[in-house]
Amino acid sequence: DIRARVLAEIATVLSLDAAAIDPTTSLLDLGLDSLLALDLRKRLQQATGRKVALATLLGGVTAGELVTDLADTTRKEKVDNA
């Protein structure tokens, strides 16, 4: 499940419990800074196989928006490859 993978990576990078992450709170408000964003981007790309722009992570995206974006990209690729 992509939601669980994304939340797990966010939790690991920010030293939080995945269950405690509010999907409507921006990653910046959860404590993400530029160095942590680099680590999170790498982890998300490895976990999902999807590229994540650093600007997206530092632009105030919420965990919920990030999950939706990555899930939409995955669904679109599956449709395009069908």
Side-chain angles (χ1 to χ4, degrees):
D1 168 68
I2 196 161
R3 181 181 186 281
R5 283 184 282 171
V6 170
L7 291 178
E9 295 304 338
I10 293 170
T12 298
V13 169
L14 298 177
S15 299
L16 299 172
D17 179 2
I21 295 174
D22 179 352
T24 64
T25 302
S26 85
L27 297 181
L28 297 174
D29 289 340
L30 291 173
L32 188 75
D33 62 23
S34 58
L35 290 176
L36 293 174
L38 289 170
D39 185 26
L40 180 58
R41 179 177 68 169
K42 181 180 94 178
R43 288 173 170 274
L44 289 172
Q45 288 176 185
Q46 290 172 343
T48 66
R50 308 286 171 251
K51 292 190 177 192
V52 178
L54 193 57
T56 298
L57 297 176
L58 293 173
V61 69
T62 67
E65 292 167 339
L66 187 57
V67 167
T68 299
D69 289 347
L70 289 169
D72 287 348
T73 301
T74 301
R75 275 192 293 275
K76 183 181 180 315
E77 286 183 3
K78 284 182 181 177
V79 169
D80 289 347
N81 291 331

